Amino acid sequence: IWTTALSNELGRLAQGIGDRVVGTDTIDFIMKQEVPKGKKVTYANFICDHRPLKEEERRVRLTVGGDRLDYNYDAGSPAASILETKLTINSVISDAHKGARFMGADLKDFFLASPMKEPEYMRIHSRFFPADIHAQYDIGSKIAADGYVYIRIKKGMYGLVQASTLAYKNLKKNLEPHGYYPCPNTEGLWKHVSRPTTFCLCVDDFGIKYYSKADANHLLACLRENYKISVDWEGKNYCGLTLDWNYEKGYVDISIPGYVEKVCAKLNHPSPRFPQHAPHRWTQPSYGSKTQMAPVDNSPLLDATGKKKVQSVTGSMLYYARTVDYPMLPAINEISSQQSKPTEKTWEACKMLLDYALTYPNAKVRYYASDMCLHVDTDAAYLVQPNARSRYAGFFYISSRPTSPLSAPTPNGAVLVACKTLRGVLASAAETETGGVFHNAQTAIILKRALEALGHPQPPTPLRTDNSVANSFVHSNIKQRRSKTWDMRWNWLRDKQTHNEVDVYWGPGNVNEADYFTKHHPPTYHKLTR
């Protein structure tokens, strides 16, 4: 099975295999002496994967070792973001009563369709070539003395740094004559000059918001001129997310079923003997003490293997936590701050996080139809991190438009939860809270631009803080003394408040959704919150 999959991949990249595989003319098999002098030759890497939703379930992908090549130009490309996907999903369900629907489309061989100005070179050992590739391309005559077959890469390929930007520019050139263009400042979102169609682009996956089959077919026809595509009219799968649409009742659930089990199997982590209801340790307050000291980690450092395991846990669980299981974020934030020098205690924290994930393996986030107005709850915790660092959190959600400064918005699933460590040592709890407001307001501006690009004009973004000093600072209602050190960073907030970009206001802590993500809570509180 895998040998056939490898043969299909090599044939697809080259000039095909008989009548079985159509080639893309991306690579040529060449003699070693055809490589220009001074040109670097990199390695090839084979990635085997099971993709049950694809036409070819067992897939082998040949990736180029792009990290070994030299680039004399900017090879960067617009970064894909799950945030734009979530905003599009919210936009669809909120406009469902107007006829809006969601569908997915996937471009086949997207990276293989973009010619390069200058070819790159790689080599593959001759033992990896299947018999049918050997026969069709006369591989035996091209084997060099070192046992390798050398390859000229003429078009974009997986692994090349420039492949993403080449594919993006090529897509832009192909769609521009048909009226589709990326939105300024949010290049992951695209619109049409006259049709109401919008779509978010995540590499080669299209999440399309459309109002009629004619509009949807227009976009698909434009894509088919240059690409092979597969279409999911029901819009149930996109970017690894499973979308359960309920247009009539006005809500959609997003989830990633099976993800936790796959990660834990990959990490050889067994199911917990008892349910774990907290993603991290909780230090019980010592009531009556004048100073509440955070525990110091004096456990031994892990070796290189242990360090890699810790990094595997944070890397694997971060996407899941950012996408659907937000309560994991404080634990991941703390573990990731220690992953350069992890200890045995850090590994215990990783195991506890995985136990928690297996206790709640199928988290979901539900988005209800709304007025598409962005709201932000912001909070911060002072000196809760090692080395006198502080943490801030932001809860970003789409809800009703405010009718008054203190009107309570309708609760909704978060499109983003920020949970990060503030850089530097801050001088007070009030400065920490103001720092959290500052960073969350900066993120809110980005989300506002994306929502406006989707056709949802935004009022000044309501931004709720439970710290009266931070609120008074933004509104210039306090006399500054020791807070002079805030000026360089935090006066940006006053400027945005003055220009009606944000509307900072005070609200009690018990309704502040961001408070949950700044601290470590007991298991009973986690159960109640879930």
Side-chain angles (χ1 to χ4, degrees):
I1 292 174
W2 292 109
T3 301
T4 302
L6 172 58
S7 177
N8 291 344
E9 174 70 355
L10 290 171
R12 187 183 301 110
L13 291 170
Q15 289 74 42
I17 308 174
D19 298 329
R20 191 176 95 232
V21 176
V22 178
T24 59
D25 195 30
T26 299
I27 63 174
D28 290 327
F29 302 108
I30 61 174
M31 307 294 290
K32 183 178 181 180
Q33 53 267 30
E34 294 182 56
V35 179
K37 288 185 178 180
K39 189 71 176 179
K40 280 193 174 182
V41 179
T42 189
Y43 62 93
N45 192 24
F46 297 102
I47 307 297
C48 302
D49 195 13
H50 178 221
R51 303 290 295 276
L53 298 178
K54 298 291 185 179
E55 183 179 343
E56 184 182 2
E57 287 193 20
R58 306 287 178 179
R59 295 161 54 129
V60 173
R61 285 294 176 260
L62 176 59
T63 63
V64 183
D67 57 319
R68 300 281 180 87
L69 299 174
D70 294 327
Y71 301 96
N72 299 320
Y73 55 91
D74 181 14
S77 62
S81 170
I82 195 67
L83 181 57
E84 290 161 346
T85 299
K86 289 186 173 183
L87 293 178
T88 301
I89 292 170
N90 271 270
S91 180
V92 171
I93 199 63
S94 296
D95 287 343
H97 66 286
K98 300 178 184 178
R101 293 295 182 266
F102 184 85
M103 62 178 290
D106 179 32
L107 301 189
K108 188 177 182 182
D109 300 332
F110 180 55
F111 278 47
L112 312 182
S114 308
M116 296 193 297
K117 293 181 179 179
E118 183 179 338
E120 303 288 357
Y121 297 85
M122 67 177 174
R123 64 179 191 173
I124 301 175
H125 200 278
S126 57
R127 69 176 181 271
F128 291 117
F129 287 85
D132 53 355
I133 298 293
H134 255 285
Q136 180 160 336
Y137 293 94
D138 192 19
I139 297 298
S141 66
K142 298 180 174 69
I143 300 175
D146 56 8
Y148 284 87
V149 176
Y150 287 73
I151 296 173
R152 181 192 298 119
I153 307 170
K154 301 181 293 184
K155 298 180 181 179
M157 267 188 71
Y158 326 106
L160 288 173
V161 174
Q162 69 269 47
S164 292
T165 190
L166 285 171
Y168 184 85
K169 290 177 180 177
N170 198 40
L171 176 68
K172 189 176 178 180
K173 182 186 73 174
N174 292 333
L175 289 183
E176 190 174 20
H178 302 286
Y180 295 96
Y181 64 95
C183 301
N185 303 318
T186 55
E187 295 194 331
L189 293 174
W190 293 57
K191 299 177 72 173
H192 191 266
V193 291
S194 59
R195 297 174 185 265
T197 308
T198 59
F199 63 86
C200 54
L201 178 65
C202 184
V203 190
D204 59 352
D205 290 329
F206 287 69
I208 305 166
K209 175 187 176 182
Y210 68 98
Y211 287 86
S212 69
K213 283 288 183 71
D215 287 341
N217 285 323
H218 180 267
L219 174 58
L220 297 178
C222 296
L223 292 172
R224 287 192 176 104
E225 290 183 6
N226 299 280
Y227 307 95
K228 293 181 180 179
I229 64 173
S230 58
V231 180
D232 174 19
W233 280 102
E234 293 183 345
K236 287 192 173 183
N237 296 282
Y238 181 71
C239 285
L241 302 178
T242 296
L243 307 174
D244 186 9
W245 294 95
N246 196 319
Y247 296 110
E248 292 74 20
K249 294 184 178 180
Y251 69 83
V252 56
D253 291 337
I254 66 171
S255 60
I256 315 180
Y259 185 91
V260 168
E261 290 88 344
K262 289 180 181 178
V263 168
C264 291
K266 176 183 172 183
L267 297 171
N268 295 318
H269 184 77
S271 298
R273 293 177 59 191
F274 304 100
Q276 178 55 262
H277 299 293
H280 43 62
R281 298 288 177 193
W282 171 62
T283 303
Q284 187 170 357
S286 178
Y287 296 105
S289 300
K290 293 184 178 180
T291 306
Q292 301 283 349
M293 301 296 293
V296 179
D297 183 3
N298 293 319
S299 59
L301 291 172
L302 296 177
D303 58 15
T305 303
K307 178 179 177 180
K308 190 172 182 179
K309 287 172 68 178
V310 169
Q311 292 171 344
S312 296
V313 171
T314 55
S316 299
M317 298 309 300
L318 184 58
Y319 177 74
Y320 184 75
R322 283 178 171 173
T323 307
V324 292
D325 204 335
Y326 306 128
M328 292 183 180
L329 289 171
I332 294 176
N333 171 252
E334 193 158 290
I335 293 170
S336 61
S337 68
Q338 304 165 13
Q339 65 181 353
S340 61
K341 293 182 179 179
T343 65
E344 290 182 358
K345 193 173 180 179
T346 309
W347 177 240
E348 291 298 319
C350 289
K351 291 194 290 185
M352 184 172 181
L353 175 65
L354 295 175
D355 287 345
Y356 174 79
L358 286 169
T359 302
Y360 301 101
N362 294 306
K364 293 184 180 181
V365 175
R366 175 169 292 182
Y367 296 128
Y368 288 98
S370 68
D371 295 335
M372 289 302 293
C373 176
L374 176 65
H375 290 259
V376 186
D377 282 5
T378 176
D379 194 34
Y382 183 50
L383 302 183
V384 295
Q385 293 278 64
N387 301 317
R389 295 306 195 271
S390 304
R391 181 191 295 122
Y392 79 91
F395 191 90
F396 299 78
Y397 60 107
I398 310 298
S399 186
S400 53
R401 289 181 175 269
T403 55
S404 67
L406 293 179
S407 60
T410 305
N412 208 351
V415 295
L416 172 68
V417 172
C419 180
K420 298 182 179 180
T421 302
L422 285 164
R423 292 184 179 181
V425 178
L426 302 179
S428 66
E431 186 178 0
T432 302
E433 294 278 2
T434 309
V437 178
F438 168 73
H439 287 289
N440 287 320
Q442 284 193 314
T443 304
I445 300 298
I446 298 171
L447 269 66
K448 281 188 68 170
R449 300 292 177 262
L451 287 166
E452 287 165 354
L454 284 168
H456 303 288
Q458 295 294 299
T461 301
L463 200 151
R464 178 165 56 192
T465 175
D466 60 0
N467 186 271
S468 58
V469 176
N471 180 58
S472 297
F473 179 84
V474 176
H475 291 276
S476 302
N477 290 337
I478 60 173
K479 183 176 180 180
Q480 287 183 249
R481 291 181 180 175
R482 296 187 64 180
S483 59
K484 285 289 185 183
T485 55
W486 305 5
D487 286 350
M488 182 175 65
R489 294 181 179 180
W490 313 141
N491 268 289
W492 180 89
L493 284 170
R494 288 180 175 174
D495 183 66
K496 294 301 177 184
Q497 178 76 33
T498 302
H499 291 88
N500 290 324
E501 288 279 1
V502 299
D503 182 17
V504 179
Y505 68 99
W506 180 89
N510 61 349
V511 296
N512 191 306
E513 298 287 355
D515 176 80
Y516 174 75
F517 303 97
T518 60
K519 308 167 186 69
H520 287 189
H521 303 287
T524 51
Y525 189 72
H526 287 292
K527 289 174 68 176
L528 178 65
T529 303
R530 290 194 76 95

